[in-house]
Amino acid sequence: VIFYQSTFLQRAFDQLIHDIGFSNNNILILSVRSGFSGYDNPTHHGIYDISYLRSIPNLEIYYPSNGDHLFSIVDHILKNPSGPKLVLMPYGFDEKLIPSKEYDTEESIYGIDEILEGNDCLILCLGNKVNDCIKTSQKLQDYNISASVINLNKLNPIDDVALSNIMSKYQYVFSVEENISSGGLNEIISKIIVENNVNTKYTYYSLPNEFIQGGSHEELSKKYNLDANSLAKKISSKINT
């Protein structure tokens, strides 16, 4: 078991490829502070994680929805080791807005985590944006919009078929991420939509390909329009135009 702060894991990229991916041994990497990571320095944010980690062969990548989900994933991996696995987590799971649920089966532990059900649109995210997307869904009710929220959780390999089947049910699909746009969640989803001929209108909200100043999650989310108020306004304008 290896524990890293996300930004410093970038320095081990060579070892990740050759000593972990290629060896395909039973290794669990816990990487904390993925996404916005406070005031330390622009170089301390984990906003490149998805872009470079998914390129490593054999490395399974997970991003749980909350603390309960995190502990269930770690417990199951330790009891059932099977190759290299990496679990990302944000700078603290400060709130638990997700409805109470049990992560007690392999499907619930490892699979797509359907958090809220709605009819008008689908919001896709990762663990560090779950709470913001729940709040966004709640605020969208003021615009008479019912939004589903899903945490993809397993990022590598991703279940293309399951995700394309889910997305095909919605006229509008949105993704929200604390990652740069290049190589991020938006490119994963775009590829699945194109390759599976999913008939939906897709829009993504991510970070620009630049260094991000230090700041709290709340400050930076507002600055880059990834907070619930900004997201609800942008999503409603897309749907109601």
Side-chain angles (χ1 to χ4, degrees), residues 1 28-31 62 64 67-81 85-89 109-110:
V1 178
L28 170 60
I29 304 171
L30 303 174
S31 184
Y62 299 90
D68 291 339
H69 195 188
L70 166 66
F71 287 124
S72 295
I73 288 178
V74 171
D75 182 64
H76 199 273
I77 290 173
L78 292 177
K79 292 176 179 176
N80 304 275
K85 293 176 172 55
L86 185 146
V87 180
L88 295 164
M89 61 195 87
I109 292 171
Y110 291 131

Side-chain angles (χ1 to χ4, degrees), residues 210-223:
E210 60 187 43
F211 291 109
I212 304 299
Q213 69 187 61
S216 69
H217 175 271
E218 291 74 18
E219 291 169 339
L220 295 176
S221 291
K222 289 180 181 179
K223 178 176 175 64

Side-chain angles (χ1 to χ4, degrees), residues 8-222:
F8 301 126
L9 189 61
Q10 300 163 20
R11 304 181 184 187
F13 188 54
D14 180 76
Q15 288 90 343
L16 285 168
I17 294 177
H18 298 108
D19 300 328
I20 292 180
F22 183 72
S23 71
N24 206 27
N25 289 322
N26 299 334
I27 299 170
L28 170 60
I29 304 171
L30 303 174
S31 184
V32 73
R33 295 176 75 173
S34 175
F36 296 139
S37 62
Y39 294 93
D40 288 342
N41 195 284
T43 62
H44 278 53
H45 295 304
I47 59 174
Y48 315 101
D49 294 345
I50 313 307
S51 302
Y52 80 96
L53 289 170
R54 289 191 76 252
S55 67
I56 301 170
N58 296 326
L59 182 64
E60 292 186 12
I61 303 172
Y62 299 90
Y63 211 137
S65 299
N66 55 40
D68 291 339
H69 195 188
L70 166 66
F71 287 124
S72 295
I73 288 178
V74 171
D75 182 64
H76 199 273
I77 290 173
L78 292 177
K79 292 176 179 176
N80 304 275
S82 59
K85 293 176 172 55
L86 185 146
V87 180
L88 295 164
M89 61 195 87
Y91 196 8
F93 287 110
D94 295 328
E95 301 174 89
K96 187 178 178 183
L97 300 181
I98 186 171
S100 180
K101 62 192 303 183
E102 296 292 332
Y103 297 97
D104 53 3
T105 65
E106 283 204 28
E107 183 178 358
S108 64
I109 292 171
Y110 291 131
I112 292 171
D113 193 4
E114 300 188 44
I115 295 166
L116 295 177
E117 291 187 18
N119 301 315
D120 300 318
C121 68
L122 170 63
I123 304 174
L124 299 169
C125 65
L126 303 178
N128 56 359
K129 296 306 288 183
V130 164
N131 283 338
D132 284 330
C133 289
I134 291 174
K135 293 176 183 177
T136 299
S137 178
Q138 293 168 344
K139 290 183 181 297
L140 282 170
Q141 294 175 8
D142 296 335
Y143 299 90
N144 295 315
I145 295 172
S146 172
S148 292
V149 175
I150 285 180
N151 171 28
L152 292 181
N153 183 38
K154 189 173 185 180
L155 285 165
N156 200 44
I158 199 162
D159 192 337
D160 292 22
V161 174
L163 184 55
S164 62
N165 287 338
I166 292 172
M167 290 192 293
S168 65
K169 299 175 184 178
Y170 296 88
Q171 183 179 1
Y172 298 93
V173 174
F174 304 90
S175 68
V176 180
E177 60 185 313
E178 285 179 22
N179 198 85
I180 60 171
S181 58
S182 179
L185 179 61
N186 66 91
E187 291 193 2
I188 298 171
I189 296 170
S190 297
K191 180 173 180 287
I192 293 174
I193 289 174
V194 170
E195 291 184 348
N196 293 275
N197 297 311
V198 179
N199 185 19
T200 188
K201 297 176 181 178
Y202 173 58
T203 305
Y204 68 88
Y205 304 112
S206 60
L207 294 170
N209 291 9
E210 60 187 43
F211 291 109
I212 304 299
Q213 69 187 61
S216 69
H217 175 271
E218 291 74 18
E219 291 169 339
L220 295 176
S221 291
K222 289 180 181 179

